[in-house]
Amino acid sequence: MLTRKSKLVLTKIFSFFSVIRGYNIWVVALAQYLSAIFILAPEKRALDIILDWRLFLIVVASTLTIASGYIINNFYDAKKDLINRPKKVMIDRLVSQETKLKVYFGINFIVALLMFFISWRAVLFFSTYIFLIWFYSHKLKKMFLVGNITAAVLAVLPFFGILMYYKNFYHVIFAHATFLLSLILIRELIKDLENIEGDLIADYKTIPVVFGEKMAKSIISVLTISTLIPVYFLIEIYDVGYMDIYFYLSLIGLLFFTLLLWKSTSKTEYLKLHFLLKFIIVSGVFCIVLIEPSVLIHGKKLISAY
């Protein structure tokens, strides 16, 4: 039987896991490794990439930076989240604001320390990334349109850290990044529709707040249609192996998403759209292996023979 003190500690750990959204962070780490193996450094052996300690430190630094970003975002969004996510706030409040800030600064210090083992460029990149996340949470998030675009860019920035490490600036990489950026931007606008009540009270200048839900839906629809451009390049121009199956299915999913969007009016319905987009994004992470499925077979042999 757990003691009362043990239960309290476990509850606080769960609370902190909720604050940093640990269920999202592992997906980013996986996406970085899969991107490195199949997109950013296709000429390298999968095993060499997996055993690269510098890449490991960059991935760890990325996940820690994202975790610290969620902490500072949680700190500044306390008032808004009380309206939009009251149940989550009750869990998050088990950890004090003071503790959150201490952990935030501690994590950022660890990130800077880790990057000293890579290069001064890595220190500069992650220091800038940390600053931008703070500035977004503190100031940019409330600004009209700027907040949405910044959030989308910050979400894909860790992949550019890996890109700079390998220094492979293939055109196909930017096509992948454009598609991902579009999906994340659409998701951010859906979150604004979902959280419109809290945004109004907290004076966040989001598109639904400034122009209304109908205009927001029109902009989301245009952005959804615009995903056809990077998908066309990825399917018709570049060689993405069997991953073209994912892109075809994504277009079907986005068509379904657009139809549901115009029928949605409640927070619950917008939340379902949010999860649909999240499913498309996370599915894309796992489908990266479809670019060259044989790597999985050869990689397994290499690891077992190592």
Side-chain angles (χ1 to χ4, degrees):
M1 289 289 290
L2 292 172
T3 63
R4 187 177 178 181
K5 188 176 180 180
S6 299
K7 287 180 181 179
L8 182 62
V9 171
L10 287 173
T11 304
K12 287 191 175 184
I13 291 172
F14 175 75
S15 173
F16 220 93
F17 186 81
S18 173
V19 171
I20 67 171
R21 302 184 192 180
Y23 44 84
N24 284 340
I25 292 175
W26 71 269
V27 177
V28 176
L30 178 64
Q32 284 182 299
Y33 268 110
L34 291 178
S35 297
I37 294 170
F38 293 94
I39 302 172
L40 302 177
E43 73 285 350
K44 291 181 176 286
R45 289 196 318 166
L47 184 62
D48 291 338
I49 292 172
I50 292 169
L51 297 180
D52 186 341
W53 67 270
R54 289 183 177 85
L55 176 62
F56 174 74
L57 288 184
I58 291 172
V59 172
V60 169
S62 298
T63 54
L64 288 176
T65 302
I66 292 167
S68 74
Y70 280 131
I71 292 170
I72 200 66
N73 193 55
N74 179 275
F75 179 83
Y76 283 114
D77 276 358
K79 181 181 176 182
K80 188 180 81 165
D81 287 344
L82 192 60
I83 300 164
N84 293 327
R85 301 180 182 89
K87 290 181 181 178
K88 188 178 184 298
V89 169
M90 293 302 291
I91 297 171
D92 294 351
R93 280 188 170 182
L94 293 173
V95 178
S96 69
Q97 296 288 69
E98 184 182 353
T99 301
K100 288 174 188 175
L101 285 179
K102 285 179 180 177
V103 174
Y104 169 75
F105 287 113
I107 288 175
N108 290 339
F109 175 76
I110 291 170
V111 169
L113 192 62
L114 288 175
M115 289 305 94
F116 271 112
F117 291 99
I118 306 297
S119 68
W120 66 268
R121 290 185 181 87
V123 175
L124 181 62
F125 175 84
F126 277 95
S127 296
T128 304
Y129 187 29
I130 289 166
F131 170 77
L132 287 174
I133 291 175
W134 169 79
F135 193 52
Y136 161 76
S137 300
H138 176 59
K139 203 79 175 176
L140 299 181
K141 194 172 185 178
K142 292 187 176 184
M143 296 175 65
F144 175 71
L145 198 57
V146 174
N148 299 114
I149 295 171
T150 306
V153 171
L154 289 174
V156 299
L157 212 54
F159 298 97
F160 281 91
I162 307 291
L163 177 64
M164 289 173 64
Y165 176 62
Y166 285 112
K167 299 176 183 177
N168 288 340
F169 299 95
Y170 303 130
H171 291 161
V172 65
I173 294 168
F174 293 97
H176 279 284
T178 303
F179 179 67
L180 178 60
L181 192 69
S182 299
L183 290 182
I184 294 172
L185 185 55
I186 294 167
R187 192 190 68 170
E188 288 298 316
L189 292 173
I190 288 294
K191 282 165 64 177
D192 288 343
L193 283 170
E194 180 189 334
N195 300 327
I196 190 168
E197 187 180 345
D199 289 340
L200 276 166
I201 294 171
D203 196 31
Y204 279 43
K205 303 298 182 184
T206 63
I207 289 174
V209 169
V210 176
F211 292 117
E213 292 186 43
K214 190 175 180 180
M215 177 59 76
K217 288 180 180 181
S218 298
I219 293 170
I220 291 169
S221 298
V222 171
L223 283 171
T224 305
I225 294 169
S226 71
T227 59
L228 286 167
I229 299 170
V231 167
Y232 169 77
F233 279 91
L234 288 164
I235 292 174
E236 298 295 332
I237 309 298
Y238 303 116
D239 181 16
V240 292
Y242 294 105
M243 197 179 178
D244 56 2
I245 297 169
Y246 162 76
F247 290 116
Y248 282 122
L249 291 174
S250 292
L251 291 179
I252 295 171
L254 289 171
L255 175 62
F256 182 63
F257 163 85
T258 307
L259 293 173
L260 287 178
L261 172 66
W262 286 96
K263 293 180 179 179
S264 300
T265 54
S266 67
K267 181 174 180 176
T268 304
E269 289 170 326
Y270 291 134
L271 187 61
K272 289 177 182 177
L273 291 173
H274 181 184
F275 281 119
L276 175 57
L277 280 174
K278 204 168 186 178
F279 176 77
I280 293 172
I281 293 169
V282 174
S283 296
V285 172
F286 290 99
C287 287
I288 291 173
V289 300
L290 295 176
I291 294 174
E292 189 57 65
S294 61
V295 171
L296 293 178
I297 301 169
H298 299 318
K300 188 176 181 181
K301 288 179 180 178
L302 284 169
I303 290 170
S304 61
Y306 185 74

